[in-house]
Amino acid sequence: MECISKSIPKVDHKAKTSGQAMYVSDYPTDGMLFGRILRSTITKGVVQSISLPALPDGYYFIDASDVPGINEVHIVQDDTPIFTFNVEYIGDPIGMLFGPDERLVNKLLKQIDVEYEELEPVLDILSSDEIFFEFNIDNGDTESAFRDADDIYTGDFETGLQEHMYLETNGMIAVYKDGKMLVHGSLQCLYYVHNAVVRALGLEADDVIVRQDVTGGGFGGKEDYPSVLACQTAVAAYVTNGKPVRVVFDRAEDTIATSKRHPAYCNYKVALKDGKITGMIVDVLLDAGAYTTMSMVVLQRSTIAASGVYNIPNLRVRGHAHKTNTVPNGAFRGFGGPQTFFAIEMMMTHIAMELNMDPVDFKFLHLVKQGDPTSTRGKYHFNVPLPMMINGIIAESDYINKRNVYKNQQGRYRRGIGFSNIFHGVGFTGNGERDLIKAVVKLKKHSDDRVEILTSNTDMGQGLYTTFSKIISFTLDIPMEQIIIKPPETSNVPDSGPTVASRSITIVGELLRRAAVRLKDEWIDGKEQIIEQKYEHPEFMIPFDNDSFTGDAYPTYSWATTVVEVEVDTYTGYITIVDTWGYYDVGTPIDENIVIGQMEGGLVQSLGYGMMEKSVLSNGAVRNKQFRDYIVPTAVDFTGLNIRLHVDKYLEGPFGAKGAGEMSHVGGAPAVLDALQNALGVKLNKIPFMAEDVMDILRK
Amino acid sequence: MINFRLNNKEVTYSGNLSECLLDVLRNEYKLTGTKCGCKEGECGACSVIVNGRLINSCLVAMGSLNNCDVLTIEGYSKSARFAALDKAYASVSAVQCGFCIPGMILASECILSEHQHPTDEDIREGISGNICRCTGYNSIVRAIELAAEDQVQNFRMSYPTIREVDLEEYVPKVAENTDNSYSADFPNSLPKTLREALVMRRKYDLIPYSGGTDLMVEENSDEKDYLFIGNLLELKNIIEDEKFIRFGAGATFYEVLNHKLTPAILKEACKQIAAPAIRNTGTVGGNIANGSAKADSALIFMVTDSKIRLASSDSERIIPISDFYLGGGKTALKNDELIIEILMPKHGIENYCYTKIGARNALAISRVSFAGIADIQDGIIKNYAVAFGAVIDTIIRRSDIDIMMIGKTIEEAKLIVDDYIDAYDEAIVPRRGRVGVEYRKDVCMNLLRDFIANTIC
C-alpha cells in the first residue's frame, strides 16, 4: 500500500459531527424571503390564466415574464425553461411565490388557481416517437456473424426509475445587491450554476458569484438540477433587489421536481459459434423525460457499455433516448452504466444457462484484455485486472460450491449466489475534457507559506477536500495543517470542471499534483505565489470522433467484480441479502477509508436499485415521494459487505489513482439478480425485482 | 406555555404547542445542528434525545415536552462520550455528506448508554431508524464499535422508563369520580391528571395526542389543537390481574417491549415496529386509535381477543377490540372518550406465530402481516385464532371461521383442515395497495397453511 493511502481524519469531519457545518437551510433567516415554486398539476398543456389571491405587502409572484435574461436553463442543451407556460410534466415550474413568512407563502401558493388547456401527453416510452438523441456503434461484420452462427440468443431487459434520496433536499439562496448576484446552495457543479445564472439574468459573468454550501449528498442528483433552482431563485432575488431569497424543497417537492435515473429498455440479439459469442446486436432505449437535460451524455455511456467487459468482435448498438411527459431524468452515480451493464450481465448469464455452463466461466471466456479494442474502436491501453479479481472473489465467496449446492432447492427458504463484472470509464466521454471542460486549477501559496487549493470541485460527502489536500501535502511534503481548502466560490476559483464522471481525482487531482510539483520547484519562503495548471489531453489516446462515435471514449477504466448471496422466503417472496463481496480496482486509493466508504455506499445503493427501490408513476408523476414509500436500505438490511481493493496503478492519475465514485453503483444489481436466478432456477430480466415479483415467478 | 430543559438549561416556551420540536429548535432556538430530512419520522436526521431516549424531533409536538429534558447535538457535543464517538467516526471516515450525522451521533449515544458492550446487532438495530444514503452503514457501525471499546462513562442519563405498579394504586376509576373541575386555564391542553384530560376532552374539540407519531405526519399538524395525554402516568401502567395483562394506553412500544409482563407474541410484534425513535414515542393506545389495518400491535390484540377499556368523564365501558374497529379507519371511540387500557388475556397465547412482511427490515409499514394462536391442551384445541393485517382496510379476524377448529381433537381437526383453509380462501379478498391483490392473497394463504402445518399437522 502506498503511503498516501493510509487514512487520516477527513478535513471537514469535526464541523459535521458537531452540527456546526452550514448547509443551505442553516443560514440565518433574518430579513429573508422564502419561495415556493408553483408547479404544473397537469401532465401536458398550456397555461391559460393564473389567478392569484390578494398578496399582502412584501409578497411577490414571478413567472416567465419576469426573467430578465433568457428563459432557458443552460445544461447541455437549452430546452429546460426557468419558468414556463407550456407545461410538459406534472411539476413543471410555472412561477414562484415568495415573501417573508414561509407558512403564509405555502398557504397563498395553494390558493393560486391555474387554468390550462390540456394537451395529449406521451407517458409510455415505448410509444414515444420523439427522439432526443441517438448514437450508433457498428463494428466488424454483424451480418456475417449472425448468418454463420450456430445459435442465436435474444433477451429483453428493463431497468427502473431510481431516486437519489440524498438526505439533504435541494436548496438555494440568492441575493442581488449593488449590481452583484450572489447565489449559494447545495450543488455539485459550481460553474454549471454560474453559467446558467449569467444567461438567465443577462448579467456580466463577473457580476454573478456562485458558492457551494456544505452539500448533503448528491450522487448526480445535484449535477444539473441546482442550475434550474439557482436560476429561479436568482430571478426572485433580482426582482426584490437587496433581500435574500431562499428556496429549500421539502421531501415531496424534491422527489416530484428533480432528476432521476433513466429507466431503460434493452434488447439483445447474440450470435454464438463454437461456444463463443461472435456477434451482438443491441438496442438501448432510455426514457429521457420531458427535457433533454443530461440525457445525451448519459446515453453515450449506456451505449458504450452495452457490450460490457466483453470483447465482441462484431457489434452493433443503437442507443436512443426519447421524450416522455415525465420528470426529466438526469445524472445518477454510474450515469447510464448501471442500465446496460445490468442488461449485458443478465444476457451473458442467460446464454450460459442455455449452454449449461457456469456464468462465471462463460463470461471469463469473453473478457477484454489489454490491447483489445473497445466498443467504440478505441483501445484498452492498460492492464485489465479482472481475471485476478474474479479468481479472488470466487474463492473468498465460495461461489462455485454454493452455486452448485443452491441449484434445485426445495423448502421454504432458498439461497442463491450471483456474480457480475463491470467497468467504469474514467472522466468525460470522448474529448469532453479537452473540448468542453478545459480544466484549470490553481495553487495559491500565501505569504505565511500556507497553500490554498483553488478548484471548482465540490465535496458533497465523497471526501474530495481531504483527498485533494493529501495530494498536495504528499507532493509538497508539507503537513496537512499548512493546506487551505474551502467550499469553492466562483470569484476565487478557476473553472476546473464539474464534480461528476468520477473525474475529480484522476483529472483535477492530477492537475493539482502537477501544479504542486511546479510550486515545489519554484517555492520561495514567505512569498505569495500562484501556480496555474491547465488540462493536457493524454497523448496516448485515440482521438474520439463525435460523428462516427469512434475512438477512445475514456483514457482508462476502473474495474469491479461483485458476488451477492441471497435468501428467498418462498412463502412471502421476501428477499434477504446474506452476504456481498465487492472487489474494486480504482488504482491507488488516495485514502483507503474514503475509497472503501465510496465502494460500500455505492454498492448498497446498487443493491437497492436491484431489489428494493421502486418509483411508481401516475400520469407521469412520481407517486411515492417520501422516505416511507420510496424504500431505501436501512442499517439492518444489507449487513454483510466485504470490500477488497485491487490496486492497478494508472500512471496518468495522481499517485496512480483513477475514478472511484460511481463504479460501485454498477455491479450490485446484476449480481443480486443472478443470485435470485440461482435461487429460483429461472431467468430474470428486470429491476427492481421485489417480493411481489418473486411470488409471480413461484405462481408460475 | 411549557417549561423544559434544553441542553441542560431551563427554558420556557410560550409559542404554539402544536408545532413540532424540530421547527422550534431550528427556527426559535437557532439550533440548526438538528437536520430536516423528511418531516415524517422516516429518516432520523432530526433525532434528538428526550429524557434519555432517542426521538424524532419532527414527530414531537411542543405540548408533549412539558418538564422534559431535551438534548441536541449542540449540547451533546460538549460531553466526554461525544469526544469518543467523534474520534471513532473520524478514525474510520464514517462521515460522508454529514447530513445524517448529528442524528446518527445521538443514536450512537443511546446505543452506548443502553449497552456497555453492544453487539453488531445492537448497533445496527440502534441506528435502524437513521437513514444514511452515503456510507452503506458499515463504517458507522465500525465507529460505534470503536467508541464502545473506549468505555467512556458519560453523564448519567437515567430516567424512570419502566414503571412497576401495584394493582391497588392503579388509578383510573373514572365513573366513580364526579369532580369535573381542573386547575388549569383554557386554552390549555395539558392535563395533569387523567380526570382533567377526560373533562377537557368533553368540553373542547381537541385531538387526543399520545405519542404523536401518526398525528404529526398529517398535513397542517401544527394547526390542530391537541389534548396532550402522553405524559399522564395513569395511562402508562402495565399491570396484571387474574385474567388479563393490562396495558395502559399511553405505554410506549419501548415500555411494552421491555416490560416483564409483556407476552412473547406482543414483544415480537413491537420489536418490529419502525425503529427505536418511533418505539420510544409511539404508544399502544395510539396504534389502536388510528384505526389502521396496518397497526402492528393491534393485530396482536385482535388475534388474542383482547378487550379495550374506554372512558369519558362520566362513564366507562369495556368492549372486545373487534367491536372497536368499524372499518375504513373508523373506530368506536366516542367524541368524549379516551382509550384507557387494553386488556390482553394472560393464558392460552403461548403457542403463537407472528409474521410481518414489510419492504425492508426496519422502518417498514406492513404489506401483509399474520398472527396465529393455537391453544392446544391434552390433544384438544381449546382456542384457535388467526388474524391478517394490511390486507384490507381493517384487520381480518374471523372467529366465526376459527370456531370450526375449537373443541376438536388434533385428529378431528386434521379432517377439516381443507374446509378451514377454503373458508379463509373465500374470506380473504385483499385490496390493492403498495403491493397487488394476488401477492397479498398468496402470502396470507401461505402463512395460514404454514401455521396450520406447525400447529396441527
Side-chain angles (χ1 to χ4, degrees):
Chain A
M1 176 97 22
E2 295 285 317
C3 234
I4 197 170
S5 303
K6 190 173 176 297
S7 297
I8 61 164
K10 293 174 77 177
V11 297
D12 53 353
H13 171 84
K14 190 63 183 244
K16 287 177 174 176
T17 50
S18 63
Q20 300 304 305
M22 293 289 277
Y23 299 82
V24 61
S25 55
D26 299 336
Y27 280 84
T29 52
D30 304 325
M32 200 174 255
L33 304 179
F34 301 91
R36 280 299 297 268
I37 313 279
L38 176 69
R39 298 188 179 281
S40 168
T41 54
I42 66 157
T43 314
K44 184 175 169 66
V46 181
V47 173
Q48 300 297 306
S49 67
I50 302 171
S51 337
L52 298 173
L55 295 183
D57 267 0
Y59 288 77
Y60 307 80
F61 178 80
I62 53 171
D63 59 28
S65 62
D66 296 293
V67 177
I70 303 168
N71 184 26
E72 291 167 352
V73 183
H74 176 66
I75 301 177
V76 174
Q77 298 188 346
D78 300 322
D79 56 326
T80 305
I82 298 169
F83 297 113
T84 185
F85 298 119
N86 300 300
V87 297
E88 295 282 351
Y89 67 99
I90 292 178
D92 217 353
I94 298 168
M96 188 200 288
L97 187 81
F98 56 104
D101 181 344
E102 198 165 15
R103 281 182 197 191
L104 186 55
V105 169
N106 279 329
K107 285 208 171 116
L108 291 167
L109 186 81
K110 283 181 191 149
Q111 295 168 27
I112 299 178
D113 203 15
V114 182
E115 274 181 45
Y116 304 89
E117 183 201 337
E118 293 207 40
L119 299 170
E120 193 59 39
V122 176
L123 293 174
D124 177 15
I125 179 69
L126 300 175
S127 58
S128 165
D129 48 16
E130 188 169 348
I131 301 178
F132 276 157
F133 304 103
E134 178 168 351
F135 296 104
N136 286 284
I137 289 171
D138 194 354
N139 298 337
D141 181 357
T142 36
E143 261 169 51
S144 303
F146 276 82
R147 193 182 53 231
D148 301 338
D150 297 334
D151 282 301
I152 291 169
Y153 297 93
T154 60
D156 287 301
F157 305 94
E158 200 179 318
T159 64
L161 194 74
Q162 190 182 21
E163 167 59 47
H164 302 87
M165 279 288 179
Y166 29 65
L167 259 277
E168 183 210 26
T169 55
N170 271 283
M172 207 62 74
I173 293 173
V175 56
Y176 186 61
K177 234 178 197 162
D178 308 325
K180 298 251 181 203
M181 176 68 70
L182 170 68
V183 180
H184 62 100
S186 186
L187 58 94
Q188 287 181 225
C189 308
L190 198 69
Y191 276 94
Y192 281 6
V193 172
H194 184 261
N195 296 341
V197 172
V198 166
R199 220 163 154 266
L201 296 187
L203 291 171
E204 294 298 317
D206 284 350
D207 291 335
V208 174
I209 298 165
V210 177
R211 189 180 75 223
Q212 184 221 9
D213 291 325
V214 179
T215 295
F219 318 118
K222 292 170 185 169
E223 175 166 347
D224 59 308
Y225 194 79
S227 299
V228 179
L229 184 56
C231 288
Q232 292 162 341
T233 314
V235 171
Y238 187 83
V239 168
T240 53
N241 198 359
K243 287 196 171 164
V245 178
R246 184 184 99 169
V247 184
V248 174
F249 289 168
D250 61 24
R251 182 57 60 183
E253 184 169 17
D254 198 282
T255 316
I256 289 168
T258 70
S259 64
K260 320 262 172 273
R261 186 187 298 290
H262 294 71
Y265 299 82
C266 300
N267 172 270
Y268 278 72
K269 292 187 186 67
V270 184
L272 250 80
K273 186 144 184 82
D274 303 328
K276 278 198 78 172
I277 296 174
T278 49
M280 195 179 273
I281 299 174
V282 189
D283 186 273
V284 178
L285 170 62
L286 296 188
D287 185 342
Y291 301 113
T292 59
T293 64
M294 308 300 299
S295 289
M296 184 179 98
V297 267
V298 171
L299 178 66
Q300 288 178 343
R301 269 194 197 265
S302 291
T303 307
I304 290 164
S307 53
V309 296
Y310 308 110
N311 188 356
I312 311 297
N314 306 299
L315 173 69
R316 208 188 296 159
V317 186
R318 178 185 179 229
H320 45 132
H322 293 216
K323 175 181 175 171
T324 56
N325 292 106
T326 61
V327 58
N329 295 310
F332 195 149
R333 200 176 201 171
F335 207 72
Q339 291 92 327
T340 42
F341 270 109
F342 169 73
I344 178 68
E345 284 301 290
M346 298 320 286
M347 188 71 229
M348 294 296 279
T349 62
H350 292 181
I351 299 171
M353 285 157 95
E354 291 290 331
L355 298 175
N356 246 326
M357 260 178 106
D358 192 287
V360 174
D361 296 333
F362 183 68
K363 289 175 180 179
F364 215 100
L365 274 180
H366 297 88
L367 287 182
V368 296
K369 55 183 190 307
Q370 185 172 9
D372 281 353
T374 67
S375 63
T376 54
R377 298 189 219 168
K379 188 171 158 187
Y380 291 104
H381 294 277
F382 304 103
N383 181 43
V384 176
L386 277 178
M388 206 176 175
M389 293 162 68
I390 293 171
N391 288 333
I393 204 168
I394 291 301
E396 193 193 343
S397 62
D398 195 18
Y399 169 91
I400 293 169
N401 176 41
K402 287 176 179 168
R403 184 91 181 182
N404 283 318
V405 170
Y406 295 159
K407 281 177 188 160
N408 307 315
Q409 291 169 86
Q410 300 299 319
R412 176 169 178 177
Y413 296 99
R414 294 178 202 167
R415 288 211 171 186
I417 193 162
F419 164 84
S420 76
N421 287 317
I422 60 99
F423 67 61
H424 189 80
V426 175
F428 266 72
T429 302
N431 302 325
E433 294 288 349
R434 186 188 67 195
D435 300 343
L436 299 173
I437 305 298
K438 301 172 188 153
V440 179
V441 307
K442 279 184 189 167
L443 285 180
K444 179 176 181 181
K445 185 169 87 63
H446 294 260
S447 53
D448 61 2
D449 287 347
R450 289 192 304 160
V451 178
E452 185 167 359
I453 297 171
L454 297 170
T455 78
S456 59
N457 295 93
T458 55
D459 195 325
M460 54 199 130
Q462 85 281 34
L464 199 65
Y465 298 155
T466 307
T467 45
F468 272 2
S469 298
K470 282 178 86 175
I471 288 170
I472 299 305
S473 164
F474 274 76
T475 309
L476 283 173
D477 204 13
I478 58 172
M480 287 288 285
E481 296 72 41
Q482 208 175 322
I483 295 164
I484 305 169
I485 189 161
K486 290 185 286 208
E489 181 175 305
T490 50
S491 58
N492 280 335
V493 301
D495 187 354
S496 57
T499 310
V500 302
S502 303
R503 67 181 287 276
S504 301
I505 289 292
T506 322
I507 310 290
V508 186
E510 173 63 10
L511 293 182
L512 284 172
R513 191 194 64 82
R514 289 179 191 181
V517 168
R518 281 173 49 207
L519 179 60
K520 198 171 184 178
D521 273 358
E522 298 166 23
W523 184 285
I524 301 164
D525 279 343
K527 185 170 179 251
E528 187 179 298
Q529 288 171 282
I530 290 180
I531 305 281
E532 191 182 83
Q533 190 75 30
K534 289 185 174 147
Y535 177 75
E536 292 159 48
H537 210 54
E539 282 175 11
F540 66 81
M541 282 181 76
I542 299 169
F544 194 84
D545 180 55
N546 280 327
D547 296 328
S548 63
F549 208 60
T550 57
D552 271 332
Y554 309 101
T556 192
Y557 300 81
S558 293
W559 306 90
T561 176
T562 311
V563 170
V564 176
E565 185 172 353
V566 299
E567 184 174 87
V568 179
D569 180 347
T570 57
Y571 288 4
T572 65
Y574 197 79
I575 302 165
T576 302
I577 300 217
V578 181
D579 262 312
T580 307
W581 295 265
Y583 278 39
Y584 300 96
D585 165 35
V586 299
T588 306
I590 297 298
D591 184 290
E592 200 183 3
N593 280 346
I594 286 178
V595 170
I596 288 176
Q598 286 299 297
M599 298 306 113
E600 289 175 339
L603 179 56
V604 164
Q605 286 178 345
S606 177
L607 298 173
Y609 181 48
M611 46 74 75
M612 185 180 271
E613 300 181 21
K614 184 176 189 172
S615 288
V616 183
L617 296 188
S618 148
N619 289 327
V622 177
R623 226 173 57 189
N624 45 341
K625 303 182 277 266
Q626 305 279 7
F627 271 101
R628 69 161 175 265
D629 45 17
Y630 183 83
I631 306 295
V632 299
T634 69
V636 289
D637 289 300
F638 308 147
T639 54
L641 303 179
N642 305 284
I643 305 292
R644 305 278 179 268
L645 300 181
H646 175 100
V647 179
D648 221 74
K649 285 190 186 181
Y650 174 50
L651 297 178
E652 299 280 328
F655 297 87
K658 50 189 182 183
E662 295 173 90
M663 178 178 55
S664 50
H665 197 317
V666 186
V672 170
L673 268 276
D674 185 30
L676 288 165
Q677 292 186 143
N678 185 215
L680 299 169
V682 292
K683 292 178 191 156
L684 303 175
N685 61 357
K686 69 151 194 171
I687 48 173
F689 194 86
M690 302 162 84
E692 216 174 338
D693 304 301
V694 170
M695 295 306 280
D696 282 344
I697 295 280
L698 292 170
R699 207 175 292 124
K700 289 167 197 158
Chain B
M1 190 179 82
I2 61 156
N3 298 305
F4 66 106
R5 266 153 57 90
L6 177 57
N7 293 329
N8 301 316
K9 242 173 77 186
E10 297 292 338
V11 293
T12 299
Y13 171 80
S14 45
N16 175 8
L17 291 183
S18 304
E19 187 137 345
C20 70
L21 174 61
L22 169 63
D23 285 349
V24 173
L25 286 174
R26 290 183 58 86
N27 301 334
E28 189 117 337
Y29 297 105
K30 311 292 177 200
L31 296 171
T32 54
T34 307
K35 305 299 178 196
C36 173
C38 71
K39 265 206 162 173
E40 51 169 34
E42 291 278 343
C43 80
C46 70
S47 303
V48 299
I49 296 178
V50 173
N51 292 354
R53 306 211 58 80
L54 194 71
I55 61 111
N56 296 311
S57 62
C58 68
L59 293 187
V60 170
M62 292 308 291
S64 66
L65 289 171
N66 201 16
N67 300 320
C68 286
D69 200 343
V70 177
L71 186 62
T72 72
I73 191 68
E74 287 86 354
Y76 180 69
S77 59
K78 296 178 180 78
S79 72
R81 194 139 67 200
F82 170 81
L85 279 164
D86 181 58
K87 192 178 93 193
Y89 271 68
S91 72
V92 293
S93 309
V95 178
Q96 291 195 25
C97 88
F99 207 74
C100 72
I101 290 296
M104 201 64 91
I105 293 267
L106 292 172
S108 308
E109 162 59 32
C110 291
I111 294 166
L112 297 180
S113 67
E114 198 156 348
H115 308 275
Q116 204 181 354
H117 303 287
T119 61
D120 183 77
E121 207 184 324
D122 294 333
I123 293 173
R124 288 186 178 273
E125 178 56 37
I127 58 169
S128 61
N130 294 73
I131 300 277
C132 167
R133 190 61 160 159
C134 295
T135 63
Y137 305 101
N138 258 18
S139 54
I140 292 171
V141 174
R142 280 197 293 270
I144 300 170
E145 274 166 9
L146 285 173
E149 282 169 19
D150 259 13
Q151 290 290 323
V152 175
Q153 291 305 310
N154 221 18
F155 43 82
R156 298 267 312 152
M157 293 210 300
S158 60
Y159 296 86
T161 41
I162 310 299
R163 283 156 40 88
E164 291 190 20
V165 219
D166 292 336
L167 194 53
E168 293 309 306
E169 63 166 285
Y170 185 61
V171 200
K173 290 195 179 94
V174 181
E176 292 165 24
N177 197 328
T178 53
D179 175 13
N180 272 356
S181 67
Y182 55 91
S183 51
D185 297 326
F186 194 80
N188 188 334
S189 46
L190 300 171
K192 285 186 277 307
T193 62
L194 177 59
R195 184 75 221 153
E196 281 185 10
L198 290 167
V199 176
M200 289 177 185
R201 171 84 164 134
R202 159 152 297 183
K203 264 185 144 154
Y204 306 107
D205 187 18
L206 298 169
I207 301 165
Y209 179 112
S210 185
T213 53
D214 282 325
L215 294 175
M216 295 304 284
V217 178
E218 289 171 14
E219 214 175 323
N220 302 325
S221 59
D222 59 329
E223 291 175 9
K224 294 174 184 166
D225 294 319
Y226 302 114
L227 176 63
F228 292 102
I229 55 171
N231 293 332
L232 296 176
L233 292 178
E234 297 145 282
L235 291 178
K236 285 186 144 324
N237 298 322
I238 300 172
I239 54 164
E240 63 179 334
D241 60 21
E242 277 162 33
K243 282 161 82 180
F244 298 103
I245 302 154
R246 302 163 62 148
F247 295 93
T252 65
F253 294 115
Y254 173 82
E255 289 161 348
V256 170
L257 198 49
N258 288 282
H259 203 284
K260 62 179 184 190
L261 290 177
T262 306
I265 183 172
L266 184 59
K267 277 193 178 173
E268 202 165 317
C270 290
K271 207 160 58 186
Q272 293 182 50
I273 291 175
I278 304 270
R279 296 198 290 269
N280 287 336
T281 1
T283 64
V284 283
N287 208 213
I288 292 170
N290 70 23
S292 167
K294 296 172 182 173
D296 295 305
S297 68
L299 183 78
I300 306 303
F301 295 131
M302 285 289 273
V303 77
T304 54
D305 295 324
S306 297
K307 297 178 193 309
I308 178 167
R309 181 168 168 220
L310 309 170
S312 69
S313 62
D314 60 4
S315 71
E316 62 170 273
R317 54 187 179 133
I318 294 178
I319 60 171
I321 189 159
S322 52
D323 290 353
F324 183 73
Y325 285 101
L326 305 177
K330 292 198 174 61
T331 72
L333 189 73
K334 292 180 189 154
N335 280 342
D336 60 351
E337 280 180 330
L338 291 173
I339 302 172
I340 306 300
E341 56 179 348
I342 298 121
L343 286 66
M344 191 169 172
K346 272 165 86 170
H347 306 294
I349 58 173
E350 297 81 10
N351 187 17
Y352 71 91
C353 170
Y354 173 72
T355 308
K356 167 179 175 168
I357 316 298
R360 59 184 159 193
N361 291 340
L363 288 174
I365 298 165
S366 287
R367 291 181 166 180
V368 176
S369 57
F370 171 85
I373 284 176
D375 180 14
I376 301 167
Q377 288 170 30
D378 307 323
I380 311 278
I381 298 172
K382 297 279 178 199
N383 186 23
Y384 206 79
V386 296
F388 303 85
V391 182
I392 55 171
D393 66 355
T394 189
I395 293 166
I396 298 176
R397 170 79 180 91
R398 294 289 297 270
S399 37
D400 58 325
I401 297 176
D402 293 336
I403 203 159
M404 63 198 277
M405 292 294 214
I406 295 168
K408 302 276 191 301
T409 64
I410 298 282
E411 290 311 311
E412 287 166 350
K414 278 182 186 169
L415 299 175
I416 54 163
V417 156
D418 287 344
D419 296 341
Y420 182 73
I421 290 172
D422 286 348
Y424 269 107
D425 197 22
E426 206 170 301
I428 299 171
V429 185
R431 283 197 190 170
R432 190 177 166 81
R434 298 272 170 229
V435 287
V437 167
E438 270 190 311
Y439 174 80
R440 287 196 153 133
K441 184 66 186 269
D442 282 0
V443 172
C444 286
M445 297 312 292
N446 284 346
L447 293 173
L448 177 66
R449 283 194 201 96
D450 183 53
F451 175 66
I452 294 168
N454 288 329
T455 49
I456 55 174
C457 289

